[in-house]
Amino acid sequence: MKALKFTIFTFIISLLSLFHANATHLRAGEITAKRISNTTLTYRVTLTTYTDQINGVQANEGQNFVKFYFGVTGVPLYDVKRKKKFLINASTMCNVYDTTFTFPAQGKYTITCAITNRNANTVNLPGRTDELSFFVETTIVVNGALGLNNTPVLLNIPIDTAGVGKRFIHNPGAFDADGDSLAYRLTTPKRDFGEGSGLGEFITGYKDPASLGQPLLTEDGSGASVFKIDPITGDLIWDAPGKFTTPQYQINVAFIVEEWRKGFDGKYAKIGEITRDMQIIVVETPNNRPLLTVPNQICVEAGQKVEFKVSARDKDNSNLKITTNSGVYNRDASGVNTSYVFPLEAKFTPLNQTQKSPAEGTFTWETNCKHVREQAYDVLFKVEDFPGRFAVQLTDTKTVKIKVIPPRPRGLIAKNTERGTELRWQLYPDCNIQKAEIVVYRKEGCSNYIPSQCELGLPASLGFVEVARVSVKDTFFLDTKTQNGKIYSYSIVASLASSDFVSIPSVPSNEACVGSELPQLAPVMTNVSIDKTDIQNGQITVKWTRPLNFDSTNFKGPYQYKLYRATGISGGVFQLITSISTKVNKLADTIFVDKALNTFQNGYTYKVAFLYEGEKILAESQAASSVRLTAVSDAQKVKLSWQANVPWNNDNRKHRIYREVKNKPGTFNLIAEVGVQAVNTYVYFDDGLDRFPDDGTNTIQLIIDSTYCYKVETVGAYLKLPQLGLLNNFSQVSCGSPIDNTPPCPPNFTSEEIDCQNLDRKAICEASSLSNKFKWSTPLSTAGIICRKDISKYNIYYARYKDEKPKLLASVPSTETSYTHVRPLQDGFAGCYYITAVNLLNIESAPSNIICKDNCPTVELPNVFTPNGDGKNDTFSPLTCTAFIQTISIEIYNRNGTKVYEASGNNLNWDGKSTNGIELPSGTYYYLAKVLIQRLDKNDETPSTIKGWIELIR
């Protein structure tokens, strides 16, 4: 990967050159470690530092050695030689020091390094920071059982640039080659406790960056400034840097990257942590940061290709460059090829290429089984803009998590034979992993489970039990431990070891079901019909047939049925609820009324077994559930949907819908016959109409928020047992209410107009920010229609330019009737706003009236200035506040028509010197200024020319 680049422009370099320099050069760094021997506890320890090339060149040139402390009692500090150095950019040098060290025994060790000194003028550290030492440390657990463990490597350079008032994001790009879990937390930078001690201490007087400067607001002005790190992703977020007493300043912060290893017991233990001390340079700039768009987390099975687009846009239409780093590229922080992941590594194109906005790149990675690990791979993407000479580059950073899981086994089939149940599947991909196996699972009944894309293993709730483990090279298993007449389903899962400690299951295979065909000599379930809906006294009638093709001469009595019940319509744990003796004749002994049930909240599933000679099971029926009806609110309607898991076929029939008579509880009218096809078509919307007039018309008007109750009668049949006829079963009673989906009325939206004639620009500039204030009210009625009162919140939308589509700016509670949009000074007032109301059903109103505000396009220049250093009129600057100026360029000519000075930027401060820095004599000079004001309409953002004479008096 290319080293991180940020541009410090001429005026910033000049400012930095004024800083005190006395053996002061350290800006950032961290220590990493890697075990390199299987037989000894030997580690390669590396310190990477980043030093100041503007004021610390001599100090860094002399820093050929540093001292490491390894935390071993009696072992003195080690002199470690610098192995290489290279420029990151014109202002930063990267230095690499490394050595090997063999620890005397297992244990926890903290490796430290202190260097004199930090670079100057770090504003959140106390006093003269060039007199503060730089101190970093890394803690590792040395244990032979951890194997050739590596600490994480940090692939993103720890020097970054932020803009005042702009949301800042930095990510260290941490990569752990061992696949350990990483966590992040902030800490306070440290200094050397005492020369030669090897110990550090927190720097007293350290200031949280969120407390620096003014205004202490987020980029969108919605809250107080924050500085935090995401403990999971490692995103270091500063929203947003405040304006300081100087137009540019620097801070140092520190954070810790923790390394956690999963053990044999499934618990995680911390095995190390790295402290990174980094520097952020903050600059006032009119530049807008670019915005990066990346996909959400990606999950693929090994062997699948990962490919996605990364795009970026810049509000200022500046050129852009998208860079990326991660261990998946097999490149270290300096761009040197290394080996973090098994080939093939990922690719990103175009790499390090400047593009016009919008910019785009493509990430591709051909994954394989060697890439499987428990933790996702973090791939860091960064976009930087190129705004021109007079503005500072800004960036946006985002991370994509890519999880690579074992490929799922495919093609599972099951077949009952005389020997048992035969399972066959396709040969598993050759992963060349020693600890890899196929796990075979079985359960009673069929669940028709379809796993989601990245759902590893079988959920315990399905009731599958492990029955065997075989080699990944096997494609066959014989299950000899099943019972005749029962229904079983099978699924297989691959288990691949990603380390000595962790094995990762694959997504389950397809489910293979045996015995789901009608078993011979078994009873057949025909009815599970709900008679009564109640939370305690519900009642279900269950019916079944006598055993199919039963011959009493082959199986002696006594005979009995055993009826089992499970809670829920997907089965589960079956419990015996009754035993019924039978003579297998025409007596009505194949029916049972199940009472004292909670049919209001639960569905139930039943199956029946036939036994001979007392307790010998001849065969067991397939399971059948009750019909479960759901009634939910809909717009002026009630939506009904129902389902049942039964061995007969309810598809391609007409199911019946019943609605309870309002003034006759318990009396239901048939209101519709619904033609259904597949299960997902078991839906009906009741709008009050009675669509079954044969029993009388009972059309009603559904009243909003009133409750209506329903039940459904399903109709089905066994296709292979037509003699059983149609099977009718009732659901429980379910109730729902129609709702009003009409949107709220748009609020009345108001705001004070901007009076450019009387605008106090001085007060605006002194406040360093400005605000647009709005008020609103909700009308009682609109066009004769009474407005809804169930408002839950208001949404405020904003667009910077009038031809842009407004985006959501803020949501405020319904109790609020005003909103203030606080904005950075350089953005001005310009923008368009509207508001909507949202009710309790999350229905949003139409937009209110649109309010647009523009900046005042006025710039006044003086006709005299006195650059004599008395603090009064020392520069030729606008008389009015430059809050709304986007760019201003100036050309100064003497009386002879010779150009003596020119400059451009977002401000004008001519000090009476020529372009070469030579003081010009007193006299009259001609100026030509071109000013670009930020406006509401992009078409109005054209430079205006101001000409005139200026008297320079010394």
Side-chain angles (χ1 to χ4, degrees), residues 381-453:
F381 293 94
K382 185 172 186 176
V383 60
E384 55 185 334
D385 64 4
F386 293 83
R389 313 178 44 201
F390 296 100
V392 173
Q393 286 179 274
L394 296 179
T395 65
D396 189 22
T397 301
K398 288 184 180 174
T399 301
V400 177
K401 288 186 175 292
I402 302 176
K403 186 160 188 176
V404 183
I405 62 175
R408 75 183 76 191
R410 298 185 180 276
L412 177 65
I413 58 174
K415 179 182 177 181
N416 276 332
T417 68
E418 292 183 358
R419 297 188 304 157
T421 302
E422 292 183 354
L423 303 181
R424 300 181 186 275
W425 57 89
Q426 297 174 8
L427 181 65
Y428 196 73
D430 184 9
C431 285
N432 194 25
I433 294 177
Q434 290 185 347
K435 295 182 180 180
E437 54 192 355
I438 298 291
V439 187
V440 182
Y441 292 90
R442 179 187 66 212
K443 67 167 284 187
E444 290 190 26
C446 297
S447 62
N448 299 315
Y449 171 65
I450 301 176
S452 59
Q453 181 181 2

Side-chain angles (χ1 to χ4, degrees), residues 45-117:
V45 181
T46 303
L47 167 71
T48 306
T49 66
Y50 300 84
T51 52
D52 188 342
Q53 280 297 103
I54 296 176
N55 297 298
V57 176
Q58 291 182 347
N60 192 53
E61 288 298 318
Q63 194 79 61
N64 289 317
F65 288 88
V66 295
K67 293 184 181 295
F68 282 7
Y69 175 66
F70 290 98
V72 178
T73 303
V75 175
L77 273 65
Y78 263 48
D79 279 326
V80 180
K81 186 177 181 180
R82 177 163 52 193
K83 294 298 176 68
K84 64 178 179 178
K85 62 178 181 177
F86 54 91
L87 279 173
I88 299 299
N89 50 51
S91 62
T92 305
M93 179 74 76
C94 179
N95 310 271
V96 179
Y97 306 80
D98 74 6
T99 188
T100 58
F101 182 80
T102 301
F103 290 91
Q106 297 185 151
K108 184 167 73 172
Y109 298 90
T110 298
I111 308 165
T112 69
C113 181
I115 305 175
T116 306
N117 278 328

Side-chain angles (χ1 to χ4, degrees), residues 544 546 557-563 578-585 587-592 608-612 614-615:
W544 61 93
R546 292 184 290 277
Y559 307 111
Q560 63 174 325
Y561 299 109
K562 287 195 173 182
L563 184 64
T578 188
S579 297
I580 303 174
S581 298
T582 179
K583 294 184 178 180
V584 199
N585 53 25
L587 295 177
D589 53 10
T590 58
I591 183 172
F592 179 76
V608 63
F610 179 75
L611 289 77
Y612 68 101
E615 293 294 331

Side-chain angles (χ1 to χ4, degrees), residues 8-79:
I8 306 268
F9 296 93
T10 304
F11 77 95
I12 301 174
I13 294 176
S14 300
L15 181 64
L16 286 172
S17 68
L18 300 176
F19 290 173
H20 176 80
N22 180 20
T24 163
H25 59 301
L26 265 296
R27 304 180 72 184
E30 72 272 343
I31 297 171
T32 56
K34 177 181 180 179
R35 187 178 173 195
I36 58 175
S37 172
N38 276 314
T39 57
T40 63
L41 302 178
T42 302
Y43 282 73
R44 179 171 298 281
V45 181
T46 303
L47 167 71
T48 306
T49 66
Y50 300 84
T51 52
D52 188 342
Q53 280 297 103
I54 296 176
N55 297 298
V57 176
Q58 291 182 347
N60 192 53
E61 288 298 318
Q63 194 79 61
N64 289 317
F65 288 88
V66 295
K67 293 184 181 295
F68 282 7
Y69 175 66
F70 290 98
V72 178
T73 303
V75 175
L77 273 65
Y78 263 48
D79 279 326

Side-chain angles (χ1 to χ4, degrees), residues 417-730:
T417 68
E418 292 183 358
R419 297 188 304 157
T421 302
E422 292 183 354
L423 303 181
R424 300 181 186 275
W425 57 89
Q426 297 174 8
L427 181 65
Y428 196 73
D430 184 9
C431 285
N432 194 25
I433 294 177
Q434 290 185 347
K435 295 182 180 180
E437 54 192 355
I438 298 291
V439 187
V440 182
Y441 292 90
R442 179 187 66 212
K443 67 167 284 187
E444 290 190 26
C446 297
S447 62
N448 299 315
Y449 171 65
I450 301 176
S452 59
Q453 181 181 2
C454 205
E455 186 172 357
L456 302 183
L458 284 160
S461 60
L462 293 176
F464 279 93
V465 177
E466 181 183 326
V467 295
R469 289 178 178 251
V470 298
S471 167
V472 288
K473 297 181 179 180
D474 288 331
T475 60
F476 173 82
F477 175 72
L478 178 66
D479 186 6
T480 60
K481 298 181 180 179
T482 56
Q483 294 184 22
N484 183 36
K486 284 194 172 184
I487 301 171
Y488 296 99
S489 60
Y490 292 86
S491 185
I492 57 176
V493 174
S495 177
L496 272 60
S498 63
S499 68
D500 293 337
F501 305 94
V502 179
S503 290
I504 303 175
S506 71
V507 175
S509 71
N510 61 291
E511 186 177 329
C513 201
V514 293
S516 57
E517 61 279 356
L518 287 172
Q520 294 297 312
L521 304 177
V524 175
M525 299 293 298
T526 58
N527 294 88
V528 180
S529 188
I530 297 179
D531 307 318
K532 183 179 181 180
T533 301
D534 193 85
I535 198 167
Q536 290 182 326
N537 297 312
Q539 180 175 299
I540 297 178
T541 296
V542 184
K543 295 181 182 180
W544 61 93
T545 69
R546 292 184 290 277
L548 296 178
N549 304 316
F550 176 72
D551 186 349
S552 61
T553 60
N554 295 327
F555 302 96
K556 304 299 183 182
Y559 307 111
Q560 63 174 325
Y561 299 109
K562 287 195 173 182
L563 184 64
Y564 298 86
R565 180 185 68 218
T567 301
I569 65 171
S570 297
V573 180
F574 283 91
Q575 295 180 333
L576 178 66
I577 58 172
T578 188
S579 297
I580 303 174
S581 298
T582 179
K583 294 184 178 180
V584 199
N585 53 25
K586 295 184 179 181
L587 295 177
D589 53 10
T590 58
I591 183 172
F592 179 76
V593 179
D594 198 8
K595 300 180 179 180
L597 301 173
N598 181 2
T599 52
F600 177 76
Q601 294 177 323
N602 300 324
Y604 294 91
T605 302
Y606 297 84
K607 64 180 181 179
V608 63
F610 179 75
L611 289 77
Y612 68 101
E613 294 183 12
E615 293 294 331
K616 293 182 179 180
I617 296 178
L618 177 61
E620 188 178 90
S621 75
Q622 296 168 303
S625 78
S626 59
V627 183
R628 192 69 189 165
L629 172 65
T630 302
V632 296
S633 300
D634 204 271
Q636 283 82 39
K637 300 182 182 75
V638 178
K639 179 183 177 181
L640 306 177
S641 59
W642 58 99
Q643 58 179 326
N645 290 322
V646 293
W648 59 86
N649 191 341
N650 283 328
D651 296 344
N652 302 307
R653 302 281 179 179
K654 287 187 176 181
H655 296 188
R656 302 185 180 104
I657 311 296
Y658 297 83
R659 184 176 61 220
E660 187 177 41
V661 179
K662 265 293 184 183
N663 56 355
K664 296 181 180 179
T667 301
F668 287 80
N669 287 326
L670 176 60
I671 60 170
E673 285 188 324
V674 181
V676 299
Q677 283 78 46
V679 172
N680 57 359
T681 65
Y682 293 9
V683 177
Y684 179 74
F685 290 89
D686 181 29
D687 56 3
L689 291 179
D690 185 346
R691 294 179 171 83
F692 191 84
D694 292 359
D695 63 345
T697 301
N698 292 281
T699 294
I700 63 173
Q701 181 179 356
L702 298 184
I703 300 173
I704 301 301
D705 296 332
S706 292
T707 301
Y708 299 88
C709 297
Y710 305 84
K711 63 182 179 181
V712 170
E713 182 184 15
T714 61
V715 180
Y718 283 101
L719 301 181
K720 294 184 178 181
L721 295 174
Q723 66 272 25
L724 297 182
L726 296 178
L727 308 177
N728 297 61
N729 290 277
F730 281 95

Side-chain angles (χ1 to χ4, degrees), residues 265-285:
D265 58 358
K267 297 180 179 179
Y268 285 87
K270 188 164 74 169
I271 61 171
E273 63 180 37
I274 297 174
T275 300
R276 165 173 268 193
D277 194 317
M278 72 168 290
Q279 191 166 90
I280 304 170
I281 298 174
V282 185
V283 181
E284 289 185 55
T285 174

